[in-house]
Amino acid sequence: MPPAAVARPPGTPGKAEPPGAARPPRPMPPQSAKPAPTARPAGSPRPAPSPAEGRPRPAGPGQAASAKPDSAAAAKPRPPVAGVAGPGGGGAAAAAKPRRSIKVPLQKPLGQILAELNKVTPEHLQEALALRKQRGGAIGAVLVDLGYCEQADVSMALAVQAGMARVDLDELEIPPDVIDKMDSMTARSYNVVPIEFDVGRLRVAMADPTNFRALDELHMLLDFEIDAALADPAAVVRALDKYYAHAESVESVISQLDQTAEWVVDQEESIDLEDIRAMSESQPVKKLLNLVLLQAIRDKASDIHFEPFEDDFKMRYRIDGVLYEMVPPPRHIALAVASRIKVMANLDIAERRVPQDGRIELTMGGKPVDLRVSVLPTMFGESVVMRVLDRTQVELDITKVGLREDEQRVIDDLIHLPNGIVIVTGPTGCGKTTTLYSALSAINTPDIKIITTEDPVEYDIEGLVQVQINPDIGLTFARCLRHILRQDPDVILVGEIRDLETAQIAIHSSLTGHLVFSTLHTNDAPTAITRLLDLGLEPYLVTATLEAVVAQRLVRRICMNCRAEFEPSEGMLWDLQLTPEDVRGRTFYFGRGCEQCNNTGYRGRTGVFEIMYIDDALRDLIIRGSSTNVVREEAKKRGMRMLRDSGLMAIYDGITTIEEIIRATVTDQ
Ligand SMILES: [Zn+2]
């Protein structure tokens, strides 16, 4: 499954996006509480996104959020008042004993402050104090080493201890002219919010006011005296989102780029490596990419496309399976953008003639984001597509993929089988991967060993052993599978059954007591049988192991905010192969379009399913070599709901529209 946007038949939905929205699969650090807007059509003005937070980066604005803390850690001198070893130590006695000659204000022990801030439990604090007695050092460091609190919490407590002013950003209403004293990129880069201005002195709120290096740099950048006040890290992020929402957009950066003809390159072929390197390092390009990525993540885009043509440079986002064209960046920066992305993905920027694949891992707005990068040389330069794997947006919950209650029960039985093969089938982007991962998550307990072989690994899930196949070095699904069996698994996910060898090992695995999940690319469930037999499998092996085939599609959900009833025309019903008689008494819905859905009428997606349970009657037909049609008819007779029928039910339930179901479930039988 290549991440590139190549060769997708028109009208098929995007790839591997989860239906439903966001619950992180594991606990996340505090982050922006602001709900992200969804689909936004090309060209509409939009709020500026928030870059990586929590990491003041002295390198300044424009850097595409880097995953490295850079000098932030280094730039963290202790506050002079609190001291490192002294009263900061937290031992009540030590802190409360001022020296005779020097006047030291009575300070609360650091540990107590941390406890009061709810950053550490009394039990953990006691444990840390006991440990500190043995090994010495600062209580803050001991707590961090034990994993009981974060360095940021300790810094905050030290600031409290040092008597730093604290502000409640949520309570504050900051005047626009104060916000204007600092531009969005600076505020976001340093994770500070300006709160007060008075004759050359700017007061900022930040999570770590002891970061003097950041304060120094702000002083140099802005030419104001800088005063720091302490604020809750999450409140800083909220305030940045609130006050800088409209400050800087991709569009505004692009319009600035338009005016700079820095890299007007006539002959991209002859440009030398040093120039490319310089371009990829240029601030405007970094800034643009940073904003593009942030916007894509906010809009829950699954893919970002950069496409150079002869005269223009297109940028498109895929959201809920549909491509939206964005404001195009100027053509002359195409090479710089591609090079910048290649640098970030550790690809060879000197190589521009062969396709390259890579990966970028970064933190955006405090969330881990993985990008899979595909670079493809085209007629007019490199086309770059980035697949966004935002793990926090993926909800791997089998009860939320769109299964109806009866379907849910069948799936529940299937995923708890001791052995057998379950196949999920459908075209690229039909949601197979999300469904399978959700199924695995449902049975992912310490007493079950699950191993996956994937191409590529789309989400990494705690508790699963995941293997990335790599045909270039001979690590194929088949070879991987053979080795996996020696790893004593209970459940195996085979990314895709592409050849006879893989199919045979999958069957062998099932016969030796493993539950095997896999995928195929067929339009419906019955065709999957034909596909397996076509690979060269013996029918009796298929019937001995195959438990069920699940065909799936993703359809867009009607926006509940603007959903309205309507009367479909006879023509529309005809497209669904229905007559007005068939739908008497039914209500149909569509989305009028509103602010919340960016006037698309849709928000998010859901799966529709066709579950073919292989029972004895079907086994009999398969053994006898019956045609796909015969198998399909029998399955229908035995209660299989076809994709189109599931789609109809979703229409009647007011979940999706006639258009979506027609698009997603072309009946070619
Ligand atoms: Zn709406």
Side-chain angles (χ1 to χ4, degrees):
M1 213 194 289
V6 283
R8 184 176 311 117
T12 52
K15 295 150 288 178
E17 266 325 290
R23 177 155 28 97
R26 57 183 82 149
M28 297 300 305
Q31 49 186 253
S32 155
K34 192 173 184 299
T38 46
R40 183 174 298 268
S44 60
R46 34 165 321 98
S50 83
E53 73 207 30
R55 308 198 158 132
R57 269 176 289 114
Q63 227 174 25
S66 115
K68 291 205 182 73
D70 292 341
S71 48
K76 208 173 272 172
R78 297 276 180 252
V81 189
V84 187
K97 205 181 283 171
R99 292 208 195 120
R100 258 163 295 153
S101 54
I102 308 163
K103 234 186 172 174
V104 175
L106 199 66
Q107 285 178 337
K108 257 189 205 173
L110 191 74
Q112 189 186 334
I113 297 173
L114 279 166
E116 283 172 10
L117 290 169
N118 281 326
K119 299 297 182 190
V120 65
T121 64
E123 294 76 32
H124 286 165
L125 181 57
Q126 286 312 317
E127 191 186 329
L129 285 171
L131 183 64
R132 177 172 158 268
K133 242 178 210 162
Q134 295 167 21
R135 69 164 224 199
I139 187 67
V142 175
L143 281 165
V144 171
D145 287 349
L146 286 171
Y148 291 158
C149 64
E150 303 285 331
Q151 183 57 47
D153 302 331
V154 175
S155 304
M156 184 159 145
L158 283 168
V160 171
Q161 194 182 44
M164 292 250 179
R166 291 175 70 190
V167 285
D168 186 347
L169 277 175
D170 295 328
E171 292 292 305
L172 223 54
E173 201 46 58
I174 308 169
D177 60 311
V178 173
I179 291 294
D180 288 346
K181 296 286 185 249
M182 194 183 294
D183 67 275
S184 162
M185 286 312 285
T186 306
R188 288 176 187 281
S189 298
Y190 290 93
N191 229 20
V192 299
V193 184
I195 50 175
E196 254 177 60
F197 183 74
D198 190 23
V199 275
R201 179 173 286 273
L202 185 66
R203 171 167 264 217
V204 299
M206 63 199 291
D208 181 10
T210 63
N211 186 345
F212 296 116
R213 179 145 160 201
L215 296 177
D216 271 355
E217 285 176 5
L218 285 171
H219 170 60
M220 310 253 281
L221 277 171
L222 303 173
D223 206 19
F224 299 134
E225 291 301 317
I226 306 288
D227 243 4
L230 182 68
D232 185 66
V236 171
V237 175
R238 281 195 292 275
L240 285 172
D241 277 343
K242 176 177 168 190
Y243 293 106
Y244 288 103
H246 297 280
E248 195 142 31
S249 64
V250 171
E251 287 80 5
S252 70
V253 172
I254 286 176
S255 71
Q256 289 163 29
L257 276 169
D258 264 330
Q259 292 146 21
T260 61
E262 248 179 89
W263 316 278
V264 180
V265 184
D266 291 332
Q267 286 173 320
E268 289 192 351
E269 293 310 315
S270 60
I271 192 160
D272 80 32
L273 190 57
E274 274 320 300
D275 289 340
I276 297 177
R277 196 158 280 141
M279 280 179 189
S280 71
E281 289 300 319
S282 83
Q283 285 304 323
V285 168
K286 285 181 174 177
K287 191 167 170 180
L288 174 70
L289 263 177
N290 201 12
L291 286 169
V292 162
L293 290 173
L294 287 161
Q295 177 176 327
I297 286 157
R298 283 229 165 149
D299 287 357
K300 298 199 164 80
S302 60
D303 305 80
I304 308 165
H305 300 229
F306 291 100
E307 302 154 314
F309 295 98
E310 188 166 13
D311 298 318
D312 44 17
F313 183 37
K314 282 195 174 146
M315 180 166 80
R316 295 194 284 178
Y317 287 180
R318 185 180 295 282
I319 299 165
D320 286 343
V322 179
L323 276 172
Y324 293 90
E325 195 162 340
M326 312 308 285
V327 175
R331 175 67 180 87
H332 68 266
I333 67 159
L335 178 56
V337 166
S339 303
R340 177 70 204 151
I341 295 170
K342 284 159 77 178
V343 168
M344 291 169 74
N346 289 321
L347 299 177
D348 180 3
I349 59 168
E351 180 54 80
R352 286 188 286 139
R353 294 156 308 168
V354 298
Q356 296 189 66
D357 292 331
R359 194 172 182 144
I360 302 173
E361 286 182 28
L362 37 78
T363 306
M364 296 226 131
K367 298 189 286 180
V369 176
D370 275 6
L371 300 167
R372 245 185 14 243
V373 178
S374 162
V375 182
L376 185 72
T378 70
M379 293 264 292
F380 301 108
E382 286 166 310
S383 171
V384 182
V385 175
M386 293 191 279
R387 164 70 66 83
V388 182
L389 302 173
D390 179 357
R391 286 185 229 122
T392 62
Q393 288 193 7
V394 177
E395 186 175 41
L396 298 173
D397 182 342
I398 194 70
T399 65
K400 305 258 169 77
V401 296
L403 291 162
R404 307 184 75 85
E405 224 176 286
D406 54 340
E407 295 167 337
Q408 187 75 56
R409 277 197 298 274
V410 175
I411 296 292
D412 205 51
D413 287 347
L414 288 172
I415 63 180
H416 287 99
L417 288 172
N419 55 52
I421 299 178
V422 175
I423 286 174
V424 183
T425 190
T428 301
C430 70
K432 301 188 288 272
T433 314
T434 308
T435 300
L436 279 174
Y437 273 113
S438 303
L440 291 182
S441 297
I443 53 173
N444 183 13
T445 51
D447 56 322
I448 292 184
K449 170 135 180 162
I450 306 174
I451 307 188
T452 74
T453 68
E454 303 168 67
D455 182 22
V457 171
E458 296 221 13
Y459 313 114
D460 75 74
I461 301 173
E462 224 167 287
L464 265 58
V465 178
Q466 295 173 280
V467 184
Q468 164 82 57
I469 71 149
N470 187 349
D472 289 347
I473 56 164
L475 190 60
T476 57
F477 277 124
R479 178 159 169 211
C480 221
L481 261 180
R482 272 197 300 272
H483 289 275
I484 278 177
L485 285 175
R486 290 179 213 139
Q487 293 264 322
D488 187 27
D490 296 295
V491 177
I492 303 169
L493 170 74
V494 185
E496 192 185 335
I497 295 180
R498 289 178 189 163
D499 50 57
L500 178 60
E501 200 184 357
T502 308
Q504 282 168 333
I505 306 173
I507 284 188
H508 173 72
S509 310
S510 165
L511 291 173
T512 51
H514 303 93
L515 181 58
V516 180
F517 293 103
S518 191
T519 71
L520 281 173
H521 275 81
T522 63
N523 277 332
D524 67 359
T527 315
I529 310 272
T530 322
R531 176 66 49 83
L532 288 174
L533 297 176
D534 285 349
L535 285 175
L537 286 177
E538 295 295 335
Y540 76 91
L541 286 177
V542 174
T543 55
T545 52
L546 189 64
E547 296 289 343
V549 181
V550 179
Q552 176 175 359
R553 293 292 186 277
L554 282 181
V555 294
R556 289 188 285 170
R557 301 177 71 104
I558 299 174
C559 168
M560 284 299 153
N561 191 50
C562 60
R563 189 177 78 159
E565 292 180 17
F566 84 111
E567 196 74 42
S569 67
E570 262 187 57
M572 285 177 101
L573 292 176
W574 180 251
D575 285 339
L576 283 172
Q577 289 154 0
L578 295 172
T579 64
E581 281 306 302
D582 294 328
V583 300
R584 193 166 300 279
R586 299 280 191 190
T587 313
F588 291 81
Y589 298 91
F590 77 114
R592 288 185 188 282
C594 69
E595 182 87 334
Q596 285 187 22
C597 58
N598 287 300
N599 290 314
T600 59
Y602 294 102
R603 271 183 99 184
R605 287 188 290 174
T606 188
V608 290
F609 299 89
E610 171 177 293
I611 304 176
M612 184 171 77
Y613 191 76
I614 314 289
D615 60 9
D616 286 343
L618 286 184
R619 286 198 178 94
D620 200 43
L621 288 177
I622 295 166
I623 289 282
R624 283 194 274 141
S626 308
S627 73
T628 308
N629 281 334
V630 172
V631 171
R632 182 182 298 118
E633 286 311 312
E634 182 63 25
K636 274 161 77 176
K637 235 185 276 170
R638 309 184 73 77
M640 177 178 82
R641 196 184 294 130
M642 309 249 304
L643 277 172
R644 176 54 68 85
D645 299 325
S646 296
L648 274 180
M649 295 176 87
I651 294 174
Y652 296 152
D653 287 347
I655 291 171
T656 192
T657 60
I658 294 177
E659 291 88 342
E660 278 295 290
I661 294 302
I662 289 173
R663 181 181 63 74
T665 64
V666 181
T667 48
D668 49 6
Q669 294 99 39

